[in-house]
Amino acid sequence: MKNTAPHSTPVTTQTLAQQKAKGEKITMLTAYDATLAHWISEAGVDIILVGDSLGMVIQGHTSTIPVSVADVAYHVKAVARGCRGPLILADAPFMSCSNSERALHTAQTLMQAGANMIKIEGSARLCPLVTQLSEEGIPVCGHLGLRPQSINQIGAYRVHGRHNTEAETLMADVEALVKAGIRLLVLECVPASLAARVAAACAVPVIGIGAGVDVDGQVLVLHDMLGLTPKPPRFSRNFLIDVPDIPAALTAFRDAVKSKQFPDTEHQLS
């Protein structure tokens, strides 16, 4: 893609819906500080995710479980100071939406810190919370497939949806969450063929991570795509390896996603 200028107007949920309708790929990267948020903005990336991945890449934990709402809110505030254009999506940490009262408090805290949308991991059981948050004016992003906050239950980071029963359950969860009011969906570690099926059937944009090229957009953890993670996931690519600096790597990521060159067959799951 030739145009990598910053967004002239802020990205909104309506912007993302229009991109899906046009078939224009959506780009998302994680960030946890003002400086990287600035350079991601300059690269013209659509969404900055302040992810609970900060527990692993910033805090040094082995999972996302220890991350608190206060942790995410701190980093949202930092990102918001450097962000100029991208929509800011904030993760709701482990157990922070376990009931209605906690979910509303979490959403209030993260939105007042500077987030434009919150992301909640979970299946169709979250539908009542999604509806309630939506009615309060809080855009919600769902997260299906591999759900890192459930690592102690699932036992390992693995591909989800390879078996028919698991695939059909995922499709039913997508339908229910869309009806409940989600405005965006992150699909993690799902076979490319199933992810394509989800994106085709889903009324809201579907952002993949390890979910093939036939979804509406891509997200990567910043540290993975800059080659800083000692053992990066198989679906990630080091975008810094062939360019001179970090700003160029961010632009390379954006261009590769927009032109459908990433992920290629080497970086998708089956």
Side-chain angles (χ1 to χ4, degrees):
M1 302 293 290
K2 301 298 183 184
N3 179 20
T4 56
H7 291 282
S8 58
T9 58
V11 176
T12 67
T13 55
Q14 289 79 14
T15 308
L16 302 177
Q18 290 166 3
Q19 286 179 265
K20 178 180 174 76
K22 295 176 186 176
E24 179 185 341
K25 295 293 186 182
I26 298 166
T27 53
M28 183 194 303
L29 287 170
T30 63
Y32 317 98
D33 62 69
T35 301
L36 270 302
H38 165 79
W39 288 113
I40 291 172
S41 300
E42 288 295 303
V45 171
D46 301 307
I47 305 171
I48 294 177
L49 169 62
V50 184
D52 56 5
S53 52
L54 70 89
M56 303 169 81
V57 300
I58 301 295
Q59 298 175 334
H61 298 297
T62 57
S63 77
T64 64
I65 303 299
V67 177
S68 68
V69 175
D71 291 335
V72 177
Y74 172 88
H75 289 279
V76 168
K77 289 177 182 178
V79 164
R81 295 184 191 109
C83 180
R84 295 295 182 271
L87 181 144
I88 300 176
L89 173 62
D91 258 332
F94 177 68
M95 292 296 290
S96 66
C97 291
S98 58
N99 58 48
S100 175
E101 184 177 357
R102 295 194 71 181
L104 288 169
H105 176 72
T106 295
Q108 178 184 5
T109 301
L110 298 181
M111 297 289 283
Q112 289 181 338
N116 306 115
M117 178 186 285
I118 67 164
K119 179 165 75 66
I120 306 176
E121 289 185 20
S123 62
R125 68 175 183 80
L126 294 176
C127 286
L129 286 179
V130 170
T131 299
Q132 184 174 16
L133 290 169
S134 298
E135 289 174 348
E136 295 294 339
I138 300 160
V140 179
C141 173
H143 184 139
L144 292 170
L146 171 63
R147 305 201 303 267
Q149 292 176 11
S150 301
I151 186 60
N152 290 309
Q153 183 179 53
I154 61 179
Y157 296 105
R158 64 175 181 84
V159 179
H160 284 251
R162 280 179 171 155
H163 305 294
N164 286 340
T165 301
E166 208 170 56
E168 293 310 313
T169 298
L170 188 145
M171 291 297 298
D173 285 338
V174 171
E175 182 179 3
L177 288 168
V178 170
K179 286 182 178 178
I182 63 167
R183 306 295 294 275
L184 192 67
L185 176 66
V186 168
L187 206 57
E188 182 169 0
C189 289
V190 169
S193 58
L194 175 59
R197 182 181 162 200
V198 170
C202 189
V204 304
V206 177
I207 310 299
I209 178 166
V213 73
D214 293 319
V215 287
D216 301 305
Q218 302 292 329
V219 58
L220 286 177
V221 172
L222 188 70
H223 293 64
D224 292 343
M225 60 81 64
L226 293 178
L228 300 176
T229 307
K231 293 182 179 180
R234 181 164 65 88
F235 54 74
S236 188
R237 179 197 294 178
N238 182 351
F239 284 88
L240 185 57
I241 198 166
D242 293 321
V243 295
D245 53 32
I246 288 174
L250 301 175
T251 297
F253 166 78
R254 177 194 181 275
D255 289 352
V257 173
K258 294 286 186 183
S259 62
K260 305 180 186 179
Q261 294 178 1
F262 177 81
D264 53 21
T265 53
E266 179 185 352
H267 299 100
Q268 71 179 25
L269 306 175
S270 58

